[in-house]
Amino acid sequence: MNNNFLVFSGTRSRYLAQKVCEKLNCPLGNLMITYFADGEFEVSYEESIRGRDVFLVQSTFPNSDNLMELLLMIDAAKRASARTICAVIPYFGWARQDRKSRPRVSIAAKLVADMLSVAGIDRVMTMDLHADQEQGFFNVPVDHLYASTVMLPYIQSLGLKNLCIASPDVGGSKRASSYAKYLDCPMVLCNKSRIRANEVASMQIIGDVKGMDVILLDDIVDTAGTIVKAADLIMENGANSVRAIASHCIMSGPADERIGRSSLLEMVFTDTIPYHGTCDKVKQISIAPVLGETIRRVVENESISSQYLL
């Protein structure tokens, strides 16, 4: 593999960038972030990046400093004459605001995509966007990776005899259907209605879960209200067991407590976002090998889609 590339990381994704660099057998680039007394910060590269392909690893989960760090990293790389700049955003924050769901609201996902483009990116690498069509918000190539690459082998390793895949809402039916087809097992849906954001009013199961070992699939778990309500409802309808798998571990507010006292046997995430909670039901599977392999394929101009399981 040629060495004409460098990998750098923002503050809160460094744990993941270090794993990616281990996969690539390269050092993590030397980048400094200097803070002013009022909270403003400055990004500087402490080594030459002139003419190099630069990969910037930074998830844009709350707070917004993570997004601002990434924007400044891009701007500094452009001004330091990097040949190409790829924003590696394992978790693309603000993605839930991808349309006008009611009058006079922002579409933050498009705004963030525009900000990254103006800052100077040449490419984006991300995982499990909230909606696939958000790739179209960018005017540069987007490598949209899938957590299924690590999650499907994990599900298979459980050896569940009466496996059933479930989606906690109708919006996730496409993802659930893909998993169910790959695993050759049945699928059910949970139909929910909301009072407001992060608060579910009612939920019904579409399908039969009696005697099944159910795995709920989602892209993100925030306050865990939906996933816990779905799990408890599935057990009430006669399921043998229920687990949950999601790509992005937001886990805010009462999420730890809710999952801890829920019917879930375990809640499995990738490590696109670090987990700092205390719930013993939560576990994380690293997607660093997937990111590292994709970076290698980009550098070597090899096929990326051939590594997908779905």
Side-chain angles (χ1 to χ4, degrees):
M1 183 174 178
N2 77 62
N3 62 355
N4 200 35
F5 74 98
L6 291 166
V7 179
F8 294 90
S9 173
T11 304
R12 295 184 66 190
S13 290
R14 190 177 181 87
Y15 71 97
L16 183 55
Q18 288 172 331
K19 296 178 188 176
V20 170
C21 287
E22 288 174 11
K23 167 66 180 177
L24 291 168
N25 194 27
C26 71
L28 182 62
N30 189 8
L31 178 144
M32 180 179 292
I33 299 177
T34 305
Y35 289 85
F36 297 91
D38 63 352
E40 181 181 336
F41 49 85
E42 174 188 73
V43 168
S44 63
Y45 292 91
E46 300 299 299
E47 58 186 292
S48 175
I49 60 173
R50 182 178 297 274
R52 310 290 286 274
D53 297 317
V54 173
F55 294 86
L56 308 177
V57 181
Q58 179 79 321
S59 285
T60 54
F61 56 95
N63 62 37
S64 55
D65 278 1
N66 293 313
L67 172 59
M68 194 63 194
E69 267 190 19
L70 178 58
L71 291 169
L72 293 180
M73 287 161 65
I74 295 166
D75 183 69
K78 179 178 66 175
R79 296 176 189 279
S81 301
R83 187 174 74 165
T84 63
I85 304 169
C86 176
V88 181
I89 312 173
Y91 170 68
F92 182 68
W94 312 91
R96 284 175 283 183
Q97 300 177 57
D98 61 350
R99 67 193 187 284
K100 288 189 69 174
S101 56
R102 60 184 188 276
R104 299 176 296 280
V105 297
S106 59
I107 304 180
K110 178 64 169 77
L111 175 61
V112 171
D114 288 344
M115 291 166 69
L116 292 167
S117 295
V118 170
I121 56 169
D122 297 292
R123 189 181 201 95
V124 171
M125 191 180 296
T126 190
M127 176 168 280
D128 280 352
L129 289 167
H130 189 61
D132 286 354
Q133 61 266 28
E134 289 175 3
Q135 296 172 71
F137 290 174
F138 294 91
N139 294 318
V140 297
V142 177
D143 299 315
H144 188 205
L145 311 180
Y146 298 96
S148 57
T149 309
V150 295
M151 290 306 191
L152 282 169
Y154 177 75
I155 293 173
Q156 291 172 319
S157 74
L158 296 173
L160 301 174
K161 293 182 180 180
N162 298 306
L163 178 62
C164 177
I165 298 297
S167 173
D169 54 40
V170 176
S173 60
K174 180 181 176 183
R175 181 186 301 106
S177 177
S178 298
Y179 272 68
K181 287 178 181 177
Y182 184 90
L183 296 165
D184 192 24
C185 68
M187 180 190 84
V188 300
L189 297 176
C190 298
N191 183 37
K192 71 178 179 183
S193 58
R194 287 191 184 276
I195 302 173
R196 58 186 68 87
N198 296 125
E199 191 169 343
V200 178
S202 63
M203 182 178 287
Q204 306 82 35
I205 295 179
I206 303 172
D208 185 14
V209 295
K210 189 172 182 179
M212 307 299 286
D213 294 301
V214 180
I215 293 185
L216 280 158
L217 297 177
D218 213 344
D219 60 333
I220 64 174
V221 172
D222 189 350
T223 61
T226 297
I227 206 84
V228 163
K229 192 174 186 69
D232 292 344
L233 186 60
I234 284 169
M235 290 301 293
E236 289 169 11
N237 278 264
N240 182 50
S241 67
V242 60
R243 296 169 172 82
I245 285 176
S247 304
H248 308 300
C249 177
I250 297 180
M251 294 290 285
S252 33
D256 262 11
E257 180 186 351
R258 285 175 172 173
I259 288 176
R261 55 182 169 82
S262 73
S263 303
L264 289 167
L265 291 180
E266 61 181 4
M267 178 73 246
V268 183
F269 296 101
T270 70
D271 58 352
T272 57
I273 299 174
Y275 175 64
H276 300 298
T278 57
C279 180
D280 58 8
K281 291 185 179 182
V282 175
K283 67 166 57 177
Q284 288 187 295
I285 300 174
S286 184
I287 48 87
V290 179
L291 293 175
E293 176 62 15
T294 305
I295 290 173
R296 186 195 68 77
R297 293 182 182 217
V298 168
V299 171
E300 298 290 341
N301 294 310
E302 295 181 9
S303 169
I304 291 171
S305 61
S306 61
Q307 68 179 322
Y308 299 158
L309 295 179
L310 294 179

